[in-house]
Amino acid sequence: MAILQEMSELLQKGRAKQVKELVNQAIAEGLSAKDILEEGLLSGMGIIGEKFKNNEVFVPEVLVAARAMNAGVELLKPLLVSEGVASKGTVVLGTVKGDLHDIGKNLVKLMMEGKGLKVVDLGVDVSAEKFIAAAEENDADIIACSALLTTTMNEMKAVVDALSGTAIKDRVKVMVGGAPVTQAFCDSIGADCYTEDAASAADAALALCTA
Ligand code: B1M
């Protein structure tokens, strides 16, 4: 459908105002919210995510594309609820206790939302107890922890340890990431999944939720 292709292309260029106009036009033409979301907005965000992963675009381009996506999604939200488009899974996301860096975490959120996942963003300086409580409250599939400091990355072990003592331990996976985090660190603390960047985190989260 030409209008959805155009929407995807405008989103990739970060043209929020034009994306909103096209979303309104598509709704007026009777397209379903699900098709507008998946074939227009998420398709554009998916292409940006791939380009980001391959270093073809950088943080500023991702942020403007994400803003355009959010503008479009806002218009669709009421329709999506009434059409009953199910979320593909729920992720509780935050930057770990003692750590205030949130730019990467926010990108992870945008990319995950771009994959159709519901993200409960706990913000920064999130304790292990808060991660667990939010996962229980929101019936989450994944707890996703970001850390940018070598002094705070060990908080991720606290999250894994706290989860192991709960009733939800078998159905909730722990994902970890952030500049100092590595696959070896992930393995050493018993977390379920490490990814290097936001786009890979979104791919991995979707795979975990739909496995
Ligand atoms: Co801070 N800082 N900072 N800082 N800061 C770093 C991280 C540092 C490497 C700078 C340096 O010394 N070269 C250094 C850490 C050293 C270390 O521990 N090894 C550092 C330090 C020391 C500090 C303070 C201690 C400085 C001080 O006060 N003396 C202090 C700590 C405050 C605290 O958190 N308690 C501090 C403060 C700050 C600011 C507040 C000024 C600001 C943060 C603003 C904000 O986030 N709102 C800041 C910034 C901006 C940085 C740098 C310059 C940039 C970080 C960033 O946003 N990068 C950083 C140096 C650097 O990285 N070049 C630095 C862009 C972002 C897109 O990348 O967050 O890595 P990143 O996210 C990536 C991946 O890591 C991944 O995806 C993203 C991209 O796709 N990813 C995940 C992230 N989370 C993921 C989760 C996943 C998967 C992937 O799954 C769940």
Side-chain angles (χ1 to χ4, degrees), residues 52 98 100-104 145-146 148-150 177-179 195-198:
F52 185 51
L100 304 176
H101 296 86
D102 68 355
I103 298 170
C145 307
S146 177
L148 262 286
L149 300 171
T150 45
T195 51
E196 193 178 0
D197 57 55

mmCIF file with all atom_site columns, all heavy atoms in Angstrom, residues 52 98 100-104 145-146 148-150 177-179 195-198, ligand 1:
data_model
loop_
_atom_site.group_PDB
_atom_site.id
_atom_site.type_symbol
_atom_site.label_atom_id
_atom_site.label_alt_id
_atom_site.label_comp_id
_atom_site.label_asym_id
_atom_site.label_entity_id
_atom_site.label_seq_id
_atom_site.pdbx_PDB_ins_code
_atom_site.Cartn_x
_atom_site.Cartn_y
_atom_site.Cartn_z
_atom_site.occupancy
_atom_site.B_iso_or_equiv
_atom_site.pdbx_formal_charge
_atom_site.auth_seq_id
_atom_site.auth_comp_id
_atom_site.auth_asym_id
_atom_site.auth_atom_id
_atom_site.pdbx_PDB_model_num
ATOM   1   N  N   . PHE A 1 52  ? 21.120 1.306  12.138 1.00 0.00 ? 52  PHE A N   1
ATOM   2   C  CA  . PHE A 1 52  ? 21.839 1.713  13.350 1.00 0.00 ? 52  PHE A CA  1
ATOM   3   C  C   . PHE A 1 52  ? 22.817 0.606  13.759 1.00 0.00 ? 52  PHE A C   1
ATOM   4   O  O   . PHE A 1 52  ? 23.973 0.852  14.082 1.00 0.00 ? 52  PHE A O   1
ATOM   5   C  CB  . PHE A 1 52  ? 20.814 1.985  14.443 1.00 0.00 ? 52  PHE A CB  1
ATOM   6   C  CG  . PHE A 1 52  ? 21.380 2.521  15.730 1.00 0.00 ? 52  PHE A CG  1
ATOM   7   C  CD1 . PHE A 1 52  ? 22.226 3.620  15.742 1.00 0.00 ? 52  PHE A CD1 1
ATOM   8   C  CD2 . PHE A 1 52  ? 21.044 1.947  16.946 1.00 0.00 ? 52  PHE A CD2 1
ATOM   9   C  CE1 . PHE A 1 52  ? 22.733 4.118  16.935 1.00 0.00 ? 52  PHE A CE1 1
ATOM   10  C  CE2 . PHE A 1 52  ? 21.544 2.442  18.140 1.00 0.00 ? 52  PHE A CE2 1
ATOM   11  C  CZ  . PHE A 1 52  ? 22.391 3.531  18.138 1.00 0.00 ? 52  PHE A CZ  1
ATOM   12  N  N   . GLY A 1 98  ? 22.371 3.163  41.324 1.00 0.00 ? 98  GLY A N   1
ATOM   13  C  CA  . GLY A 1 98  ? 23.623 3.926  41.402 1.00 0.00 ? 98  GLY A CA  1
ATOM   14  C  C   . GLY A 1 98  ? 24.040 4.529  40.082 1.00 0.00 ? 98  GLY A C   1
ATOM   15  O  O   . GLY A 1 98  ? 24.996 5.294  40.012 1.00 0.00 ? 98  GLY A O   1
ATOM   16  N  N   . LEU A 1 100 ? 23.080 6.709  36.583 1.00 0.00 ? 100 LEU A N   1
ATOM   17  C  CA  . LEU A 1 100 ? 22.120 7.707  36.088 1.00 0.00 ? 100 LEU A CA  1
ATOM   18  C  C   . LEU A 1 100 ? 22.138 7.843  34.571 1.00 0.00 ? 100 LEU A C   1
ATOM   19  O  O   . LEU A 1 100 ? 21.458 8.693  34.017 1.00 0.00 ? 100 LEU A O   1
ATOM   20  C  CB  . LEU A 1 100 ? 22.433 9.075  36.728 1.00 0.00 ? 100 LEU A CB  1
ATOM   21  C  CG  . LEU A 1 100 ? 22.451 9.080  38.261 1.00 0.00 ? 100 LEU A CG  1
ATOM   22  C  CD1 . LEU A 1 100 ? 22.855 10.453 38.796 1.00 0.00 ? 100 LEU A CD1 1
ATOM   23  C  CD2 . LEU A 1 100 ? 21.084 8.684  38.818 1.00 0.00 ? 100 LEU A CD2 1
ATOM   24  N  N   . HIS A 1 101 ? 22.949 7.038  33.887 1.00 0.00 ? 101 HIS A N   1
ATOM   25  C  CA  . HIS A 1 101 ? 23.021 7.130  32.422 1.00 0.00 ? 101 HIS A CA  1
ATOM   26  C  C   . HIS A 1 101 ? 21.753 6.540  31.796 1.00 0.00 ? 101 HIS A C   1
ATOM   27  O  O   . HIS A 1 101 ? 21.423 5.385  32.064 1.00 0.00 ? 101 HIS A O   1
ATOM   28  C  CB  . HIS A 1 101 ? 24.248 6.369  31.905 1.00 0.00 ? 101 HIS A CB  1
ATOM   29  C  CG  . HIS A 1 101 ? 25.541 6.948  32.357 1.00 0.00 ? 101 HIS A CG  1
ATOM   30  N  ND1 . HIS A 1 101 ? 26.110 6.617  33.563 1.00 0.00 ? 101 HIS A ND1 1
ATOM   31  C  CD2 . HIS A 1 101 ? 26.370 7.849  31.772 1.00 0.00 ? 101 HIS A CD2 1
ATOM   32  C  CE1 . HIS A 1 101 ? 27.238 7.285  33.706 1.00 0.00 ? 101 HIS A CE1 1
ATOM   33  N  NE2 . HIS A 1 101 ? 27.433 8.046  32.624 1.00 0.00 ? 101 HIS A NE2 1
ATOM   34  N  N   . ASP A 1 102 ? 21.071 7.330  30.971 1.00 0.00 ? 102 ASP A N   1
ATOM   35  C  CA  . ASP A 1 102 ? 19.825 6.775  30.419 1.00 0.00 ? 102 ASP A CA  1
ATOM   36  C  C   . ASP A 1 102 ? 19.663 6.918  28.911 1.00 0.00 ? 102 ASP A C   1
ATOM   37  O  O   . ASP A 1 102 ? 18.617 6.546  28.362 1.00 0.00 ? 102 ASP A O   1
ATOM   38  C  CB  . ASP A 1 102 ? 18.600 7.366  31.130 1.00 0.00 ? 102 ASP A CB  1
ATOM   39  C  CG  . ASP A 1 102 ? 18.379 8.840  30.842 1.00 0.00 ? 102 ASP A CG  1
ATOM   40  O  OD1 . ASP A 1 102 ? 19.226 9.452  30.156 1.00 0.00 ? 102 ASP A OD1 1
ATOM   41  O  OD2 . ASP A 1 102 ? 17.351 9.373  31.297 1.00 0.00 ? 102 ASP A OD2 1
ATOM   42  N  N   . ILE A 1 103 ? 20.663 7.431  28.224 1.00 0.00 ? 103 ILE A N   1
ATOM   43  C  CA  . ILE A 1 103 ? 20.497 7.650  26.777 1.00 0.00 ? 103 ILE A CA  1
ATOM   44  C  C   . ILE A 1 103 ? 20.405 6.300  26.052 1.00 0.00 ? 103 ILE A C   1
ATOM   45  O  O   . ILE A 1 103 ? 19.507 6.080  25.234 1.00 0.00 ? 103 ILE A O   1
ATOM   46  C  CB  . ILE A 1 103 ? 21.633 8.536  26.229 1.00 0.00 ? 103 ILE A CB  1
ATOM   47  C  CG1 . ILE A 1 103 ? 21.566 9.908  26.908 1.00 0.00 ? 103 ILE A CG1 1
ATOM   48  C  CG2 . ILE A 1 103 ? 21.534 8.682  24.711 1.00 0.00 ? 103 ILE A CG2 1
ATOM   49  C  CD1 . ILE A 1 103 ? 22.759 10.829 26.653 1.00 0.00 ? 103 ILE A CD1 1
ATOM   50  N  N   . GLY A 1 104 ? 21.318 5.398  26.373 1.00 0.00 ? 104 GLY A N   1
ATOM   51  C  CA  . GLY A 1 104 ? 21.279 4.070  25.760 1.00 0.00 ? 104 GLY A CA  1
ATOM   52  C  C   . GLY A 1 104 ? 20.025 3.315  26.160 1.00 0.00 ? 104 GLY A C   1
ATOM   53  O  O   . GLY A 1 104 ? 19.372 2.679  25.323 1.00 0.00 ? 104 GLY A O   1
ATOM   54  N  N   . CYS A 1 145 ? 18.208 -4.823 32.033 1.00 0.00 ? 145 CYS A N   1
ATOM   55  C  CA  . CYS A 1 145 ? 19.007 -3.914 32.851 1.00 0.00 ? 145 CYS A CA  1
ATOM   56  C  C   . CYS A 1 145 ? 20.117 -3.268 32.018 1.00 0.00 ? 145 CYS A C   1
ATOM   57  O  O   . CYS A 1 145 ? 20.861 -3.958 31.318 1.00 0.00 ? 145 CYS A O   1
ATOM   58  C  CB  . CYS A 1 145 ? 19.699 -4.670 33.980 1.00 0.00 ? 145 CYS A CB  1
ATOM   59  S  SG  . CYS A 1 145 ? 18.613 -5.661 34.985 1.00 0.00 ? 145 CYS A SG  1
ATOM   60  N  N   . SER A 1 146 ? 20.232 -1.952 32.162 1.00 0.00 ? 146 SER A N   1
ATOM   61  C  CA  . SER A 1 146 ? 21.311 -1.215 31.502 1.00 0.00 ? 146 SER A CA  1
ATOM   62  C  C   . SER A 1 146 ? 22.266 -0.682 32.566 1.00 0.00 ? 146 SER A C   1
ATOM   63  O  O   . SER A 1 146 ? 21.831 -0.255 33.635 1.00 0.00 ? 146 SER A O   1
ATOM   64  C  CB  . SER A 1 146 ? 20.704 -0.050 30.700 1.00 0.00 ? 146 SER A CB  1
ATOM   65  O  OG  . SER A 1 146 ? 21.709 0.727  30.102 1.00 0.00 ? 146 SER A OG  1
ATOM   66  N  N   . LEU A 1 148 ? 26.170 1.639  32.703 1.00 0.00 ? 148 LEU A N   1
ATOM   67  C  CA  . LEU A 1 148 ? 27.256 2.299  31.953 1.00 0.00 ? 148 LEU A CA  1
ATOM   68  C  C   . LEU A 1 148 ? 28.537 2.405  32.768 1.00 0.00 ? 148 LEU A C   1
ATOM   69  O  O   . LEU A 1 148 ? 29.563 2.847  32.254 1.00 0.00 ? 148 LEU A O   1
ATOM   70  C  CB  . LEU A 1 148 ? 26.803 3.714  31.538 1.00 0.00 ? 148 LEU A CB  1
ATOM   71  C  CG  . LEU A 1 148 ? 26.261 3.918  30.123 1.00 0.00 ? 148 LEU A CG  1
ATOM   72  C  CD1 . LEU A 1 148 ? 27.355 3.884  29.089 1.00 0.00 ? 148 LEU A CD1 1
ATOM   73  C  CD2 . LEU A 1 148 ? 25.231 2.854  29.779 1.00 0.00 ? 148 LEU A CD2 1
ATOM   74  N  N   . LEU A 1 149 ? 28.480 2.019  34.027 1.00 0.00 ? 149 LEU A N   1
ATOM   75  C  CA  . LEU A 1 149 ? 29.650 2.184  34.897 1.00 0.00 ? 149 LEU A CA  1
ATOM   76  C  C   . LEU A 1 149 ? 30.150 0.825  35.374 1.00 0.00 ? 149 LEU A C   1
ATOM   77  O  O   . LEU A 1 149 ? 29.338 -0.054 35.717 1.00 0.00 ? 149 LEU A O   1
ATOM   78  C  CB  . LEU A 1 149 ? 29.282 3.036  36.121 1.00 0.00 ? 149 LEU A CB  1
ATOM   79  C  CG  . LEU A 1 149 ? 28.771 4.451  35.846 1.00 0.00 ? 149 LEU A CG  1
ATOM   80  C  CD1 . LEU A 1 149 ? 28.238 5.086  37.140 1.00 0.00 ? 149 LEU A CD1 1
ATOM   81  C  CD2 . LEU A 1 149 ? 29.878 5.324  35.260 1.00 0.00 ? 149 LEU A CD2 1
ATOM   82  N  N   . THR A 1 150 ? 31.460 0.684  35.411 1.00 0.00 ? 150 THR A N   1
ATOM   83  C  CA  . THR A 1 150 ? 32.014 -0.575 35.929 1.00 0.00 ? 150 THR A CA  1
ATOM   84  C  C   . THR A 1 150 ? 31.646 -0.733 37.411 1.00 0.00 ? 150 THR A C   1
ATOM   85  O  O   . THR A 1 150 ? 31.581 -1.852 37.916 1.00 0.00 ? 150 THR A O   1
ATOM   86  C  CB  . THR A 1 150 ? 33.550 -0.584 35.778 1.00 0.00 ? 150 THR A CB  1
ATOM   87  O  OG1 . THR A 1 150 ? 34.051 0.679  36.209 1.00 0.00 ? 150 THR A OG1 1
ATOM   88  C  CG2 . THR A 1 150 ? 33.969 -0.812 34.346 1.00 0.00 ? 150 THR A CG2 1
ATOM   89  N  N   . GLY A 1 177 ? 22.890 -5.205 29.369 1.00 0.00 ? 177 GLY A N   1
ATOM   90  C  CA  . GLY A 1 177 ? 23.633 -4.500 28.333 1.00 0.00 ? 177 GLY A CA  1
ATOM   91  C  C   . GLY A 1 177 ? 24.133 -3.157 28.838 1.00 0.00 ? 177 GLY A C   1
ATOM   92  O  O   . GLY A 1 177 ? 23.831 -2.748 29.960 1.00 0.00 ? 177 GLY A O   1
ATOM   93  N  N   . GLY A 1 178 ? 24.898 -2.480 27.990 1.00 0.00 ? 178 GLY A N   1
ATOM   94  C  CA  . GLY A 1 178 ? 25.532 -1.218 28.372 1.00 0.00 ? 178 GLY A CA  1
ATOM   95  C  C   . GLY A 1 178 ? 27.013 -1.326 28.089 1.00 0.00 ? 178 GLY A C   1
ATOM   96  O  O   . GLY A 1 178 ? 27.557 -2.435 28.044 1.00 0.00 ? 178 GLY A O   1
ATOM   97  N  N   . ALA A 1 179 ? 27.672 -0.176 27.922 1.00 0.00 ? 179 ALA A N   1
ATOM   98  C  CA  . ALA A 1 179 ? 29.054 -0.159 27.431 1.00 0.00 ? 179 ALA A CA  1
ATOM   99  C  C   . ALA A 1 179 ? 30.034 -1.115 28.135 1.00 0.00 ? 179 ALA A C   1
ATOM   100 O  O   . ALA A 1 179 ? 30.799 -1.801 27.459 1.00 0.00 ? 179 ALA A O   1
ATOM   101 C  CB  . ALA A 1 179 ? 29.572 1.268  27.437 1.00 0.00 ? 179 ALA A CB  1
ATOM   102 N  N   . THR A 1 195 ? 23.201 -8.318 24.912 1.00 0.00 ? 195 THR A N   1
ATOM   103 C  CA  . THR A 1 195 ? 23.303 -7.780 23.552 1.00 0.00 ? 195 THR A CA  1
ATOM   104 C  C   . THR A 1 195 ? 24.099 -6.486 23.603 1.00 0.00 ? 195 THR A C   1
ATOM   105 O  O   . THR A 1 195 ? 24.095 -5.765 24.595 1.00 0.00 ? 195 THR A O   1
ATOM   106 C  CB  . THR A 1 195 ? 21.928 -7.503 22.920 1.00 0.00 ? 195 THR A CB  1
ATOM   107 O  OG1 . THR A 1 195 ? 21.157 -6.720 23.825 1.00 0.00 ? 195 THR A OG1 1
ATOM   108 C  CG2 . THR A 1 195 ? 21.188 -8.779 22.580 1.00 0.00 ? 195 THR A CG2 1
ATOM   109 N  N   . GLU A 1 196 ? 24.756 -6.207 22.491 1.00 0.00 ? 196 GLU A N   1
ATOM   110 C  CA  . GLU A 1 196 ? 25.704 -5.090 22.459 1.00 0.00 ? 196 GLU A CA  1
ATOM   111 C  C   . GLU A 1 196 ? 25.026 -3.738 22.227 1.00 0.00 ? 196 GLU A C   1
ATOM   112 O  O   . GLU A 1 196 ? 25.494 -2.719 22.704 1.00 0.00 ? 196 GLU A O   1
ATOM   113 C  CB  . GLU A 1 196 ? 26.703 -5.367 21.330 1.00 0.00 ? 196 GLU A CB  1
ATOM   114 C  CG  . GLU A 1 196 ? 27.908 -4.464 21.396 1.00 0.00 ? 196 GLU A CG  1
ATOM   115 C  CD  . GLU A 1 196 ? 28.915 -4.777 20.300 1.00 0.00 ? 196 GLU A CD  1
ATOM   116 O  OE1 . GLU A 1 196 ? 28.674 -5.695 19.499 1.00 0.00 ? 196 GLU A OE1 1
ATOM   117 O  OE2 . GLU A 1 196 ? 29.934 -4.065 20.266 1.00 0.00 ? 196 GLU A OE2 1
ATOM   118 N  N   . ASP A 1 197 ? 23.947 -3.742 21.448 1.00 0.00 ? 197 ASP A N   1
ATOM   119 C  CA  . ASP A 1 197 ? 23.325 -2.457 21.118 1.00 0.00 ? 197 ASP A CA  1
ATOM   120 C  C   . ASP A 1 197 ? 21.809 -2.547 21.218 1.00 0.00 ? 197 ASP A C   1
ATOM   121 O  O   . ASP A 1 197 ? 21.252 -3.625 21.414 1.00 0.00 ? 197 ASP A O   1
ATOM   122 C  CB  . ASP A 1 197 ? 23.760 -1.996 19.722 1.00 0.00 ? 197 ASP A CB  1
ATOM   123 C  CG  . ASP A 1 197 ? 23.438 -3.022 18.674 1.00 0.00 ? 197 ASP A CG  1
ATOM   124 O  OD1 . ASP A 1 197 ? 22.274 -3.426 18.580 1.00 0.00 ? 197 ASP A OD1 1
ATOM   125 O  OD2 . ASP A 1 197 ? 24.368 -3.448 17.946 1.00 0.00 ? 197 ASP A OD2 1
ATOM   126 N  N   . ALA A 1 198 ? 21.175 -1.380 21.047 1.00 0.00 ? 198 ALA A N   1
ATOM   127 C  CA  . ALA A 1 198 ? 19.730 -1.303 21.279 1.00 0.00 ? 198 ALA A CA  1
ATOM   128 C  C   . ALA A 1 198 ? 18.937 -2.124 20.260 1.00 0.00 ? 198 ALA A C   1
ATOM   129 O  O   . ALA A 1 198 ? 17.954 -2.783 20.622 1.00 0.00 ? 198 ALA A O   1
ATOM   130 C  CB  . ALA A 1 198 ? 19.301 0.166  21.230 1.00 0.00 ? 198 ALA A CB  1
HETATM 131 CO CO1 . B1M B 2 .   ? 29.143 9.309  32.324 1.00 0.00 ? 1   B1M B CO1 1
HETATM 132 N  N1  . B1M B 2 .   ? 30.575 7.998  32.222 1.00 0.00 ? 1   B1M B N1  1
HETATM 133 N  N2  . B1M B 2 .   ? 29.507 9.555  34.228 1.00 0.00 ? 1   B1M B N2  1
HETATM 134 N  N3  . B1M B 2 .   ? 27.818 10.705 32.223 1.00 0.00 ? 1   B1M B N3  1
HETATM 135 N  N4  . B1M B 2 .   ? 29.241 9.179  30.468 1.00 0.00 ? 1   B1M B N4  1
HETATM 136 C  C1  . B1M B 2 .   ? 30.777 7.326  30.947 1.00 0.00 ? 1   B1M B C1  1
HETATM 137 C  C2  . B1M B 2 .   ? 29.947 6.049  30.876 1.00 0.00 ? 1   B1M B C2  1
HETATM 138 C  C3  . B1M B 2 .   ? 32.339 7.053  30.948 1.00 0.00 ? 1   B1M B C3  1
HETATM 139 C  C4  . B1M B 2 .   ? 32.761 5.856  30.094 1.00 0.00 ? 1   B1M B C4  1
HETATM 140 C  C5  . B1M B 2 .   ? 33.078 8.350  30.550 1.00 0.00 ? 1   B1M B C5  1
HETATM 141 C  C6  . B1M B 2 .   ? 34.576 8.168  30.589 1.00 0.00 ? 1   B1M B C6  1
HETATM 142 O  O1  . B1M B 2 .   ? 35.158 8.243  31.620 1.00 0.00 ? 1   B1M B O1  1
HETATM 143 N  N5  . B1M B 2 .   ? 35.201 7.932  29.481 1.00 0.00 ? 1   B1M B N5  1
HETATM 144 C  C7  . B1M B 2 .   ? 32.591 6.852  32.479 1.00 0.00 ? 1   B1M B C7  1
HETATM 145 C  C8  . B1M B 2 .   ? 32.454 5.427  32.976 1.00 0.00 ? 1   B1M B C8  1
HETATM 146 C  C9  . B1M B 2 .   ? 33.780 4.790  33.307 1.00 0.00 ? 1   B1M B C9  1
HETATM 147 C  C10 . B1M B 2 .   ? 33.601 3.399  33.766 1.00 0.00 ? 1   B1M B C10 1
HETATM 148 O  O2  . B1M B 2 .   ? 32.887 3.100  34.680 1.00 0.00 ? 1   B1M B O2  1
HETATM 149 N  N6  . B1M B 2 .   ? 34.259 2.500  33.074 1.00 0.00 ? 1   B1M B N6  1
HETATM 150 C  C11 . B1M B 2 .   ? 31.570 7.780  33.084 1.00 0.00 ? 1   B1M B C11 1
HETATM 151 C  C12 . B1M B 2 .   ? 31.641 8.308  34.383 1.00 0.00 ? 1   B1M B C12 1
HETATM 152 C  C13 . B1M B 2 .   ? 32.884 7.992  35.157 1.00 0.00 ? 1   B1M B C13 1
HETATM 153 C  C14 . B1M B 2 .   ? 30.640 9.114  34.925 1.00 0.00 ? 1   B1M B C14 1
HETATM 154 C  C15 . B1M B 2 .   ? 30.573 9.738  36.305 1.00 0.00 ? 1   B1M B C15 1
HETATM 155 C  C16 . B1M B 2 .   ? 31.057 8.853  37.452 1.00 0.00 ? 1   B1M B C16 1
HETATM 156 C  C17 . B1M B 2 .   ? 31.398 11.045 36.226 1.00 0.00 ? 1   B1M B C17 1
HETATM 157 C  C18 . B1M B 2 .   ? 31.571 11.750 37.532 1.00 0.00 ? 1   B1M B C18 1
HETATM 158 O  O3  . B1M B 2 .   ? 30.622 12.239 38.081 1.00 0.00 ? 1   B1M B O3  1
HETATM 159 N  N7  . B1M B 2 .   ? 32.784 11.730 38.001 1.00 0.00 ? 1   B1M B N7  1
HETATM 160 C  C19 . B1M B 2 .   ? 29.092 10.115 36.449 1.00 0.00 ? 1   B1M B C19 1
HETATM 161 C  C20 . B1M B 2 .   ? 28.293 8.972  37.088 1.00 0.00 ? 1   B1M B C20 1
HETATM 162 C  C21 . B1M B 2 .   ? 26.895 9.399  37.384 1.00 0.00 ? 1   B1M B C21 1
HETATM 163 C  C22 . B1M B 2 .   ? 26.082 8.195  37.743 1.00 0.00 ? 1   B1M B C22 1
HETATM 164 O  O4  . B1M B 2 .   ? 25.583 7.521  36.873 1.00 0.00 ? 1   B1M B O4  1
HETATM 165 N  N8  . B1M B 2 .   ? 25.940 7.904  39.038 1.00 0.00 ? 1   B1M B N8  1
HETATM 166 C  C23 . B1M B 2 .   ? 28.712 10.310 35.039 1.00 0.00 ? 1   B1M B C23 1
HETATM 167 C  C24 . B1M B 2 .   ? 27.693 11.166 34.616 1.00 0.00 ? 1   B1M B C24 1
HETATM 168 C  C25 . B1M B 2 .   ? 27.334 11.380 33.316 1.00 0.00 ? 1   B1M B C25 1
HETATM 169 C  C26 . B1M B 2 .   ? 26.333 12.445 32.856 1.00 0.00 ? 1   B1M B C26 1
HETATM 170 C  C27 . B1M B 2 .   ? 25.172 12.629 33.836 1.00 0.00 ? 1   B1M B C27 1
HETATM 171 C  C28 . B1M B 2 .   ? 27.053 13.742 32.692 1.00 0.00 ? 1   B1M B C28 1
HETATM 172 C  C29 . B1M B 2 .   ? 25.946 11.929 31.429 1.00 0.00 ? 1   B1M B C29 1
HETATM 173 C  C30 . B1M B 2 .   ? 24.715 11.011 31.430 1.00 0.00 ? 1   B1M B C30 1
HETATM 174 C  C31 . B1M B 2 .   ? 23.478 11.720 30.897 1.00 0.00 ? 1   B1M B C31 1
HETATM 175 C  C32 . B1M B 2 .   ? 22.360 10.748 30.665 1.00 0.00 ? 1   B1M B C32 1
HETATM 176 O  O5  . B1M B 2 .   ? 22.533 9.576  30.409 1.00 0.00 ? 1   B1M B O5  1
HETATM 177 N  N9  . B1M B 2 .   ? 21.170 11.294 30.746 1.00 0.00 ? 1   B1M B N9  1
HETATM 178 C  C33 . B1M B 2 .   ? 27.148 11.079 31.081 1.00 0.00 ? 1   B1M B C33 1
HETATM 179 C  C34 . B1M B 2 .   ? 27.473 10.689 29.780 1.00 0.00 ? 1   B1M B C34 1
HETATM 180 C  C35 . B1M B 2 .   ? 26.622 11.300 28.666 1.00 0.00 ? 1   B1M B C35 1
HETATM 181 C  C36 . B1M B 2 .   ? 28.531 9.788  29.495 1.00 0.00 ? 1   B1M B C36 1
HETATM 182 C  C37 . B1M B 2 .   ? 29.110 9.396  28.127 1.00 0.00 ? 1   B1M B C37 1
HETATM 183 C  C38 . B1M B 2 .   ? 29.912 10.598 27.645 1.00 0.00 ? 1   B1M B C38 1
HETATM 184 C  C39 . B1M B 2 .   ? 28.114 8.995  27.051 1.00 0.00 ? 1   B1M B C39 1
HETATM 185 C  C40 . B1M B 2 .   ? 27.173 7.872  27.446 1.00 0.00 ? 1   B1M B C40 1
HETATM 186 C  C41 . B1M B 2 .   ? 26.069 7.755  26.406 1.00 0.00 ? 1   B1M B C41 1
HETATM 187 O  O6  . B1M B 2 .   ? 24.965 8.189  26.599 1.00 0.00 ? 1   B1M B O6  1
HETATM 188 N  N10 . B1M B 2 .   ? 26.428 7.184  25.222 1.00 0.00 ? 1   B1M B N10 1
HETATM 189 C  C42 . B1M B 2 .   ? 30.022 8.160  28.518 1.00 0.00 ? 1   B1M B C42 1
HETATM 190 C  C43 . B1M B 2 .   ? 31.265 8.060  27.667 1.00 0.00 ? 1   B1M B C43 1
HETATM 191 C  C44 . B1M B 2 .   ? 31.021 7.285  26.414 1.00 0.00 ? 1   B1M B C44 1
HETATM 192 O  O7  . B1M B 2 .   ? 30.257 6.328  26.396 1.00 0.00 ? 1   B1M B O7  1
HETATM 193 N  N11 . B1M B 2 .   ? 31.658 7.681  25.376 1.00 0.00 ? 1   B1M B N11 1
HETATM 194 C  C45 . B1M B 2 .   ? 30.122 8.265  29.981 1.00 0.00 ? 1   B1M B C45 1
HETATM 195 C  C46 . B1M B 2 .   ? 25.498 7.050  24.104 1.00 0.00 ? 1   B1M B C46 1
HETATM 196 C  C47 . B1M B 2 .   ? 24.597 5.834  24.319 1.00 0.00 ? 1   B1M B C47 1
HETATM 197 C  C48 . B1M B 2 .   ? 23.695 5.668  23.104 1.00 0.00 ? 1   B1M B C48 1
HETATM 198 O  O8  . B1M B 2 .   ? 25.412 4.696  24.453 1.00 0.00 ? 1   B1M B O8  1
HETATM 199 O  O9  . B1M B 2 .   ? 24.639 4.223  26.820 1.00 0.00 ? 1   B1M B O9  1
HETATM 200 O  O10 . B1M B 2 .   ? 26.556 2.905  25.762 1.00 0.00 ? 1   B1M B O10 1
HETATM 201 P  P1  . B1M B 2 .   ? 25.277 3.623  25.630 1.00 0.00 ? 1   B1M B P1  1
HETATM 202 O  O11 . B1M B 2 .   ? 24.175 2.609  25.057 1.00 0.00 ? 1   B1M B O11 1
HETATM 203 C  C49 . B1M B 2 .   ? 24.482 1.781  23.962 1.00 0.00 ? 1   B1M B C49 1
HETATM 204 C  C50 . B1M B 2 .   ? 24.963 0.380  24.358 1.00 0.00 ? 1   B1M B C50 1
HETATM 205 O  O12 . B1M B 2 .   ? 25.739 0.386  25.511 1.00 0.00 ? 1   B1M B O12 1
HETATM 206 C  C51 . B1M B 2 .   ? 23.708 -0.414 24.420 1.00 0.00 ? 1   B1M B C51 1
HETATM 207 O  O13 . B1M B 2 .   ? 22.838 0.191  23.485 1.00 0.00 ? 1   B1M B O13 1
HETATM 208 C  C52 . B1M B 2 .   ? 23.199 1.552  23.250 1.00 0.00 ? 1   B1M B C52 1
HETATM 209 C  C53 . B1M B 2 .   ? 23.403 1.798  21.759 1.00 0.00 ? 1   B1M B C53 1
HETATM 210 O  O14 . B1M B 2 .   ? 22.727 1.009  20.934 1.00 0.00 ? 1   B1M B O14 1
HETATM 211 N  N12 . B1M B 2 .   ? 22.977 -0.576 25.655 1.00 0.00 ? 1   B1M B N12 1
HETATM 212 C  C54 . B1M B 2 .   ? 22.260 -1.723 25.870 1.00 0.00 ? 1   B1M B C54 1
HETATM 213 C  C55 . B1M B 2 .   ? 22.766 0.238  26.689 1.00 0.00 ? 1   B1M B C55 1
HETATM 214 N  N13 . B1M B 2 .   ? 21.970 -0.324 27.581 1.00 0.00 ? 1   B1M B N13 1
HETATM 215 C  C56 . B1M B 2 .   ? 21.636 -1.545 27.098 1.00 0.00 ? 1   B1M B C56 1
HETATM 216 C  C57 . B1M B 2 .   ? 20.812 -2.552 27.627 1.00 0.00 ? 1   B1M B C57 1
HETATM 217 C  C58 . B1M B 2 .   ? 20.650 -3.717 26.875 1.00 0.00 ? 1   B1M B C58 1
HETATM 218 C  C59 . B1M B 2 .   ? 21.302 -3.887 25.659 1.00 0.00 ? 1   B1M B C59 1
HETATM 219 C  C60 . B1M B 2 .   ? 22.107 -2.901 25.136 1.00 0.00 ? 1   B1M B C60 1
HETATM 220 O  O15 . B1M B 2 .   ? 19.893 -4.758 27.260 1.00 0.00 ? 1   B1M B O15 1
HETATM 221 C  C61 . B1M B 2 .   ? 19.085 -4.636 28.391 1.00 0.00 ? 1   B1M B C61 1
#
